[in-house]
Amino acid sequence: MHMRTFPRGYVDKAFAPRATRPPSGPLLLAAFQLAFWSLFALLFFLTVRPYHLFADILLGQAAATAALGLAASTVVERLYTLLQGRGASAITAAGCALAGSVLLGLAWYALAAWAGDLIDPFEGVRMPVPGGVLFAPAQLPLYPAVLLLWSFLFLTAARWQDQHAQRERLLRSEALAHEARLRMLRYQLNPHFLFNALNSIGALAGEAPGRVQRMVGELSDFLRYSLLDAERLEVLLRDELRAVTHYLEVEKVRFEEDLDVRIELEPEAARRPLPAFLVLPLVENAIKHGRRMSALPLRIEVTARIVNGSSLQIEVKNTGAWITASQPTPAGTDTGLHNVRERLREHYAGRHVFDVYENDGWVHARIRIDHER
C-alpha cells in the first residue's frame, strides 16, 4: 500500500464568511442632528446679519433658536421610535411624526421668540429684517416648514437604515440556513464506516491484538479530524487527504492485501481550501463499489493537482466496472455521491464539474473546481 505521509500537528484557521455590520443608528443620528442644526444656525445668522446691528447678540439668538429646534426634532425622533417600538406601521409612525413636526414647529417659534427677547437687551427696538421684525408673526410658517424638512430627511434616512438592517438580517438568516444545510450533508458521510470499524475491532480483539492496536490508532486520528474540525466548513486539501489516509489505513487493517492504495498530492493543490469531508465519500464509494465489481486486490488511486493553470482537480478511481441500471446499488452509494454534488453546488455554483464514469477497467470520480473569478 503506497501512501503519501503528512506531518502531524498542523492547524489552520477556518474559512468562514464574515457578515458586514450595519451603520450605527445613534451615531448617524447624532451626526445628522449636529450637521443640520449647525447649518440652520449658520444660515439664520448670515440671513439676518445685514439687518442686525450687533453680531454677538444675533449669534446668541441663532444659537438659541437652533438649540430649541434641536430639542423639537429630538421629540419628533422619540415619537417616531416609540410608535415603531409599539408595533405601529412605518406609514402610521411617519404620519404622526410629520403631524407632530407642524405642532412642535409652532411651539418652537413661540419659544424662539421668547428666548430671542431674553438675549436681546434692545428687544424694544424693532429691527428691519426680511419679513418685518425678527420673530415677526409673518415668519411663523418658516418654523414648522424647517422642522418638516428635518423630519422628511430623518424619515428618509430611517427608512433606508431599516431596509439595510432588514437585508442584513436576511443575509444572516440565509447564511445560517446555508451552514446548517452543509453540516447536515457533512454529517451523513461516515456513520457506517464507524460501525464497520468497530465491528472489525471486535472481531480482531481475540485473534490479532496487534492489528487492533493499529486500527484503533488510525481510527483515533480519523475521529480527531472529525471532532476537532466540527465547527469548520472548509479545510485545506492536505488536511482532508490526511483524514482520507487514516480512513484507508483502517480499511487496510480490515482487508490487508486485498486493498492497494496510492495517493498523490501536488504541493500547490495541498494548499487549496475546500469543503470538509468532500473527498472521503468518494473514497468510501470506491471501496464499497469496487469490492463488488473488481478483481482482488482492489486498487484505489487518489490524485489532486492543479490543471489549466489554476483549476483544482481531484480524482478518485478504483478498478472494476460501473454499476449498470440492472444491478442493485450498494447502500449509501447514491447518498454519498448526492451529498458531494450538493456540497459542490452550494460552494462552487457555476465553477465546478463533477463526473463519474468508467474507462478501461477503472471507475473514475473526478472533481474540477475552477479558480474563483
Side-chain angles (χ1 to χ4, degrees), residues 22-33 77 154 157-158 160-162:
S24 173
L27 289 179
L28 282 180
L29 177 62
F32 170 61
Q33 289 276 54
E77 182 270 327
F154 165 74
W160 173 85
Q161 191 174 27
D162 287 344

Side-chain angles (χ1 to χ4, degrees), residues 37 40-41 44 58-72 108-109 111-113 115-116 119 134-135 143:
W37 293 112
F40 171 83
F44 184 101
L58 178 59
L59 185 61
Q61 290 175 322
T65 305
L68 290 169
L70 171 62
W108 176 29
Y109 167 79
L111 290 173
I119 294 172
L134 191 60
F135 304 114
Y143 289 80

Side-chain angles (χ1 to χ4, degrees), residues 57 61 64-65 111-121 123 135:
I57 295 176
Q61 290 175 322
T65 305
L111 290 173
W114 172 76
D117 290 343
L118 286 181
I119 294 172
D120 188 359
E123 70 274 5
F135 304 114

Side-chain angles (χ1 to χ4, degrees), residues 260-263 299-303 315-318 362:
D260 181 40
V261 177
R262 183 168 62 91
I263 297 179
R299 297 173 59 195
I300 295 177
E301 294 184 4
V302 181
T303 59
E315 184 173 39
V316 177
K317 64 179 183 178
N318 62 272
W362 289 79

